[in-house]
Amino acid sequence: MAATRTRMISAFVMGPSAILAVLFLPTSWMAVAAALLFLGGLWEWFKLSGVEDSLSRLLLVALHMLLMVALAWGSHTAQGGTSALFDAVILVGVAWWVLSLLWLARYDFGSHHEGWSRVVKLLAGTLAVIPAWCALVTLHGTPQGSIDHGLIPKGHVWLLVALMTVWAADTGAYFAGRAFGKHKLAPRISPNKTIEGLVGGIVLGMIVGMAVVSFTGIALASLPAVAILCMVTVLFSAVGDLYESLLKRHAGAKDSSDLIPGHGGILDRADSVLAALPVFALVKALLGL
């Protein structure tokens, strides 16, 4: 009971704080806030990958911070900026999450902590975190006009659509899995996840995503495309969740850390988002939304 109460209190603090940040922070500040959050998750990722030495992890995180700075600097032009670099990184990120399905199908790959295994997992951290950050910044900064008399840019709302879709999917999967779950999704990686839970997550994620997207002023004719966007996003959010579960299984860890009371670490909260954001950004662009 106390654990559930702690979990709920943490959620009530984190949820509204994240929504307010997405809607009202300028994109430059949102990029900084997201970078700090994602780099914190990367710190945990490196520990799960077998980098126990804190100084080594700190150096690796610092290198990724410099990579983020370099991407932002390289995207700046005299005319204001170009998204070409960010778009290229997003494509790389989507390709990685597609390839990660092969890893998930081979549980033992990388489980024995050899040198090559650690290197591959470190590279996977880069391919997960940097594209997700690029996608977040790209979505948040999308110059598509504004709503509410210019108070909330549409790009901010599109990022909220992505995040709310993933958050709703997590909730739907939890309750549908508990109520109807009989068929295991990936029993060796995450015994509690079920196919019924995944279906419940897809349904609730689509409902919430389509509800939030209405605040962009989107035409009704575009809602089927939004439904497809949300469905694909939820499917890949499940891939991100499973991949982090795989890392934890290999490392013999229950959570990525104990930073957030009742919720584990940053990576435990962000795993689904890391996979979902690049896919959301790419599919949104392909569908012309």
Side-chain angles (χ1 to χ4, degrees):
M1 189 68 178
T4 301
R5 188 183 301 112
T6 300
R7 186 180 179 88
M8 290 180 64
I9 292 173
S10 297
F12 280 125
V13 171
M14 292 187 298
S17 299
I19 292 171
L20 290 173
V22 168
L23 292 180
F24 297 109
L25 279 181
T27 298
S28 57
W29 283 103
M30 189 67 210
V32 172
L36 293 175
L37 184 67
F38 285 0
L39 289 172
L42 198 58
W43 171 273
E44 297 172 352
W45 186 300
F46 291 154
K47 185 174 182 179
L48 292 176
S49 301
V51 183
E52 297 291 342
D53 180 60
S54 296
L55 179 58
S56 298
R57 269 187 285 154
L58 182 61
L59 291 173
L60 287 169
V61 169
L63 287 174
H64 284 77
M65 181 182 67
L66 291 175
L67 179 55
M68 289 175 171
V69 172
L71 287 168
W73 179 80
S75 299
H76 180 74
T77 68
Q79 290 72 37
T82 173
S83 65
L85 270 178
F86 277 45
D87 292 343
V89 174
I90 289 169
L91 284 172
V92 171
V94 173
W96 150 247
W97 286 113
V98 172
L99 286 173
S100 72
L101 291 170
L102 298 176
W103 194 333
L104 292 176
R106 295 179 60 86
Y107 174 87
D108 290 327
F109 179 77
S111 63
H112 304 298
H113 306 294
E114 298 96 337
W116 64 266
S117 170
R118 184 177 298 123
V119 170
V120 173
K121 287 178 180 178
L122 294 180
L123 178 60
T126 302
L127 295 175
V129 169
I130 300 300
W133 178 76
C134 288
L136 183 148
V137 175
T138 298
L139 287 168
H140 197 263
T142 302
Q144 298 183 29
S146 58
I147 61 176
D148 294 342
H149 306 290
L151 293 179
I152 305 176
K154 279 188 180 179
H156 296 201
V157 181
W158 273 112
L159 176 57
L160 187 62
V161 172
L163 295 176
M164 291 290 287
T165 297
V166 175
W167 296 339
D170 287 345
T171 301
Y174 176 77
F175 286 106
R178 291 194 64 179
F180 309 108
K182 292 182 179 179
H183 301 88
K184 300 298 183 182
L185 180 63
R188 197 171 182 190
I189 297 174
S190 187
N192 294 327
K193 289 182 174 60
T194 63
I195 294 174
E196 291 82 1
L198 176 61
V199 172
I202 291 172
V203 171
L204 189 58
M206 290 173 65
I207 291 171
V208 171
M210 293 173 71
V212 178
V213 85
S214 64
F215 290 97
T216 66
I218 197 169
L220 288 176
S222 297
L223 287 182
V226 174
I228 294 172
L229 171 63
C230 293
M231 181 181 67
V232 175
T233 298
V234 172
L235 287 172
F236 273 88
S237 74
V239 174
D241 194 354
L242 284 173
Y243 188 81
E244 196 234 352
S245 295
L246 181 69
L247 285 179
K248 290 190 291 187
R249 286 272 172 184
H250 286 178
K254 182 179 181 295
D255 297 313
S256 60
S257 77
D258 57 359
L259 179 66
I260 306 171
H263 288 269
I266 295 173
L267 195 56
D268 293 316
R269 295 300 91 211
D271 51 3
S272 301
V273 172
L274 292 179
L277 284 178
V279 172
F280 184 94
L282 177 61
V283 176
K284 174 181 175 293
L286 292 175
L287 293 174
L289 295 170

